[in-house]
Amino acid sequence: MSQARFALACLLTAAPLLAHADENLFGYVRGAETIPAGGWELYQKFTQRDDKGTGHYRATDFETEIEYGVSDRFNLSGSLQAMSLDTQGLSINGYLPGDRSFGPKASGVELAGKYNWLRPAADGIGLSARAGLEYSWIDPHSGRDKDTLSAEFDLLAQKYFLDAQLTWVGNLGMEATYADRAPIADLPADFEWPTDPEMEIELKVGTGLSYRFAPKWYVSVEALYETEFETEVGQERWSVFAGPSLHYGSEKWWATLTWLPQVRGGGERYDGQHDTDLHLIEKTKQEARLKLGFNF
């Protein structure tokens, strides 16, 4: 048997074991697969961001996304976002004016497109590009009014090993953001709360490995590096998060549970911050995410 025929035979043998197109094996990094033409997928995402090292801080993000296969290689998606917040005994100059608590309320929308050049199963390695435009009206850190417009661009790579039992993904991304905070009345005289519009650039690198240890079950580990550059201060922050995921996928639905603690971070710190090797102004010590997907 020729090498080409042997490779094709291996691919056909492994095909029933591959994760369904665009099934999310990871909580944060993305794969290169797309859903087929005419297909629909509904995603529900819950993310909890917890602990800034002092006081009490817990934010929960909700996102409902619908994705449609315009063609086998091009997908369009739209999402509605919401958040809840509970902070007590925590004030960070310029970022968190003080205690705030509210239940889930709408916070933003996003439109995105994903185009696939190479398929990981058919071409040996997968490569896709994703572009998104997001508008939000609530600051995800303080919960205060803030108009934010962000454009995001990502390159997504994916490769199968061991007859698709092991999956690797790699992401490289950039996000450009225009932000304008609303003024807050009755702030302390010495509290800084800039209301001039800001421009920010964020660079992101992510990678992950996922292993199928039983039919329909995957265990994964992923890591995410992010750094942000702001108009006046240059590099404002950087952080590295890394942690495990557990994934279950059936024919019509799937679920992924991820725990992602912050490993290292730097940049701006708030007065009295004890964990000096972490960035805890815009980030937290840990995040947990549950993602659900339904195929139509």
Side-chain angles (χ1 to χ4, degrees):
M1 181 182 293
S2 68
Q3 290 184 344
R5 290 183 178 179
F6 178 74
L8 179 60
C10 290
L11 175 61
L12 293 175
T13 300
L17 301 176
L18 297 177
H20 297 294
D22 210 22
E23 185 175 335
N24 293 188
L25 302 178
F26 305 92
Y28 291 79
V29 294
R30 303 174 185 268
E33 294 277 17
T34 51
I35 60 177
W40 292 88
E41 189 147 14
L42 175 68
Y43 308 92
Q44 184 63 59
K45 184 191 305 180
F46 308 90
T47 305
Q48 183 172 282
R49 299 176 279 121
D50 182 68
D51 196 349
K52 288 186 177 289
T54 188
H56 170 77
Y57 184 93
R58 177 170 295 170
T60 305
D61 304 317
F62 309 86
E63 183 176 6
T64 302
E65 179 182 357
I66 186 74
E67 187 172 22
Y68 174 68
V70 179
S71 70
D72 287 343
R73 294 187 180 272
F74 180 57
N75 294 169
L76 281 176
S77 64
S79 68
L80 175 64
Q81 302 159 2
M83 70 171 290
S84 64
L85 182 67
D86 184 24
T87 69
Q88 299 173 27
L90 177 61
S91 177
I92 299 177
N93 192 43
Y95 291 91
L96 296 178
D99 295 353
R100 193 163 179 81
S101 181
F102 56 83
K105 62 181 179 180
S107 60
V109 293
E110 183 185 33
L111 294 175
K114 183 178 181 182
Y115 185 81
N116 173 255
W117 285 298
L118 299 172
R119 297 185 177 279
D123 300 309
I125 189 169
L127 183 64
S128 293
R130 183 183 184 275
L133 187 64
E134 179 182 352
Y135 171 67
S136 63
W137 49 87
I138 296 178
D139 179 21
H141 314 298
S142 67
R144 305 286 178 162
D145 292 340
K146 180 179 179 180
D147 289 321
T148 303
L149 183 64
S150 299
E152 183 178 5
F153 306 91
D154 298 291
L155 284 176
L156 315 173
Q158 181 174 342
K159 187 171 180 58
Y160 294 125
F161 299 93
L162 304 177
D163 294 335
Q165 190 168 11
L166 183 68
T167 303
W168 168 82
V169 300
N171 295 176
L172 179 63
M174 181 188 75
E175 183 177 80
T177 298
Y178 171 87
D180 188 9
R181 289 195 277 193
I184 301 175
D186 301 324
L187 284 176
D190 58 347
F191 191 91
E192 183 182 349
W193 185 255
T195 55
D196 293 331
E198 300 174 335
M199 289 293 297
E200 300 168 341
I201 298 291
E202 184 178 65
L203 303 178
K204 299 178 288 184
V205 180
T207 188
L209 278 174
S210 183
Y211 180 75
R212 188 183 67 249
F213 63 91
K216 302 181 180 181
W217 287 94
Y218 296 77
V219 62
S220 310
V221 62
E222 58 187 301
L224 186 63
Y225 169 80
E226 297 179 341
T227 182
E228 185 177 85
F229 298 83
E230 196 263 332
T231 308
E232 297 181 357
V233 300
Q235 187 182 33
E236 189 175 23
R237 61 172 172 85
W238 65 270
S239 59
V240 177
F241 285 77
S245 293
L246 181 65
H247 173 86
Y248 173 82
S250 66
E251 183 179 354
K252 292 296 183 180
W253 68 277
W254 52 262
T256 304
L257 181 63
T258 304
W259 177 58
L260 207 70
Q262 186 177 166
V263 179
R264 296 281 293 181
E268 291 187 324
R269 297 182 174 89
Y270 61 79
D271 293 339
Q273 179 176 325
H274 301 296
D275 301 279
T276 56
D277 58 346
L278 301 177
H279 177 77
L280 296 174
I281 293 182
E282 295 191 34
K283 298 294 184 179
T284 55
K285 286 190 175 183
Q286 59 187 349
E287 297 187 10
R289 174 171 289 179
L290 173 64
K291 297 171 74 173
L292 304 173
F294 303 90
N295 307 310
F296 300 96

